[in-house]
Amino acid sequence: MSNSPSIVCFGEMLIDFVPDSAGVSLAESKGFLKAPGGAPANVACAITKLGGTSAFIGKVGKDEFGFMLVDILKKNNVNSDGVCYDEHARTALAFVTLKSDGEREFMFYRNPSADMLLKESELNMPLIKSCKIFHYGSISLITEPCRSAHMAAMKAAKEAGVLLSYDPNVRLPLWPSAEACRQGIKSIWNEADFIKVSDDEVGFLTQKDADKEESVMSLWNDKFKLLVVTDGEKGCRYFSKKFKGKVDGFAVKAIDTTGAGDSFVGSFLCSIAKDKTIFEDEGKLKEALKFANACGAICTTQKGAIPALPTPADAQKLMSGSK
């Protein structure tokens, strides 16, 4: 890719092993489907599927799974120039239990996995400094040296005038404790321009009722351009300096919620990359969020994250069919 990608996603890429039947525990499951995962990588693939340009920066093991993941990025037209291979550590694995409603529980194998070992010296700074949006999560904050690499990447992006996008993606089993998770996520909270957080995560971070506006507003900072709370099938709520409101979701039969938030984020970041005035124009914002809701909903109707990511036509079809 000669042109620099407009959105760079930073963090972990791993293999999700998903039971081939929903509603059973990991122990009861007879077989598992191998699915590429890791929220930032899912977002990068969501962007290209919708016609945007993206790059992924992270580290995988120099092993069969690592090669497979980079191959998937390439097949999805995601720039992989910022991906490093670790000679000694393995690519991370996660076993995901699907409950009968499509919700998930995780069991991780990463002690340490390659993604945790990305060093500041391995960052592809030209990619970071030349993009429009730098997107990241919080899993890369858990351990060194990856945390320092994350902080350096954010700093370089900010100094280059790049928009910072943050989706904390709470994964409690990976943190030493719930309080460490809260503190880690909040340690970079005020650096972002745009934050997407789920209703469950609002509840976890504030330890208050996520449905109440004051709970959400306790997470607000005046430096933010936008804070979005996703409410599952109910849609999403948005908060900015100028306006606030909600955008209804779409009713679909959910099979697997993996990647739904990433599909939502990828879609919304595509809209921002095309037109930054979305932050100032409530009409445009609501349209972009409606489209993102449709993308998130479609992603739940299939197993796995990346295979279930929608095209613009898929999203338009759902939107036109539900009027």
Side-chain angles (χ1 to χ4, degrees):
M1 292 186 186
S2 54
N3 296 344
S4 59
S6 59
I7 304 160
V8 170
C9 301
F10 173 89
E12 70 285 352
M13 190 173 194
L14 51 116
I15 308 276
D16 286 336
F17 284 95
V18 186
D20 55 9
S21 48
V24 295
S25 70
L26 290 177
E28 291 163 341
S29 180
K30 290 192 165 54
F32 294 89
L33 300 167
K34 190 175 65 186
N42 293 342
V43 172
C45 292
I47 289 159
T48 56
K49 196 99 180 259
L50 292 166
T53 58
S54 69
F56 173 74
I57 292 180
K59 201 173 200 184
V60 293
K62 199 170 188 180
D63 53 41
E64 285 298 313
F65 286 151
F67 298 137
M68 178 194 122
L69 291 174
V70 173
D71 201 42
I72 285 162
L73 290 175
K74 287 177 177 165
K75 282 195 175 115
N76 282 277
N77 299 312
V78 174
N79 179 310
S80 60
D81 295 349
V83 179
C84 304
Y85 294 96
D86 195 287
E87 295 275 352
H88 308 291
R90 296 278 190 215
T91 301
L93 309 178
F95 284 82
V96 185
T97 316
L98 287 184
K99 298 181 196 167
S100 48
D101 61 357
E103 284 297 336
R104 306 150 300 163
E105 284 171 0
F106 294 89
M107 185 164 83
F108 292 94
Y109 285 74
R110 49 200 303 272
N111 55 333
S113 54
D115 59 288
M116 301 157 73
L117 301 173
L118 181 71
K119 299 194 283 281
E120 184 180 340
S121 59
E122 294 171 317
L123 291 171
N124 186 319
M125 285 299 191
L127 268 182
I128 293 167
K129 291 174 179 174
S130 61
C131 67
K132 289 182 182 174
I133 303 167
F134 182 65
H135 175 74
Y136 48 87
S138 70
I139 289 170
S140 41
L141 296 171
I142 299 173
T143 46
E144 291 292 359
C146 191
R147 180 183 165 83
S148 290
H150 181 140
M151 302 305 280
M154 251 172 41
K155 183 170 180 277
K158 196 164 198 124
E159 284 171 0
V162 174
L163 186 107
L164 299 188
S165 162
Y166 184 25
D167 178 356
N169 255 310
V170 171
R171 295 284 178 270
L172 262 182
L174 294 179
W175 292 84
S177 67
E179 194 45 45
C181 179
R182 260 183 223 104
Q183 285 179 6
I185 284 169
K186 287 181 174 174
S187 69
I188 60 164
W189 193 261
N190 294 334
E191 300 297 319
D193 296 297
F194 162 64
I195 292 183
K196 172 254 157 192
V197 68
S198 72
D199 50 353
D200 289 346
E201 288 163 344
V202 170
F204 171 73
L205 290 169
T206 62
Q207 297 174 280
K208 294 176 188 150
D209 182 354
D211 291 336
K212 294 205 165 104
E213 193 176 303
E214 61 261 31
S215 306
V216 179
M217 289 315 288
S218 70
L219 296 170
W220 173 258
N221 180 296
D222 274 342
K223 291 188 211 148
F224 295 161
K225 287 184 164 53
L226 187 72
L227 173 66
V228 170
V229 179
T230 53
D231 291 307
E233 67 281 359
K234 291 185 288 189
C236 65
R237 289 170 278 166
Y238 59 89
F239 302 85
S240 80
K241 282 196 273 272
K242 293 185 179 173
F243 34 72
K244 61 185 184 199
K246 72 186 288 290
V247 179
D248 289 334
F250 296 89
V252 292
K253 175 151 176 41
I255 292 170
D256 176 8
T257 58
T258 308
D262 305 326
S263 182
F264 176 97
V265 171
S267 166
F268 188 64
L269 294 183
C270 268
S271 298
I272 298 170
K274 280 191 205 125
D275 183 3
K276 275 195 185 166
T277 66
I278 280 174
F279 292 125
E280 314 295 326
D281 183 324
E282 193 170 11
K284 282 184 189 172
L285 175 65
K286 288 182 94 157
E287 271 308 301
L289 290 172
K290 185 181 174 188
F291 189 73
N293 281 344
C295 289
I298 290 163
C299 196
T300 67
T301 60
Q302 241 182 287
K303 272 189 191 155
I306 293 171
L309 294 167
T311 62
D314 297 331
Q316 293 295 351
K317 189 176 167 194
L318 178 62
M319 288 164 77
S320 57
S322 67
K323 278 175 185 168

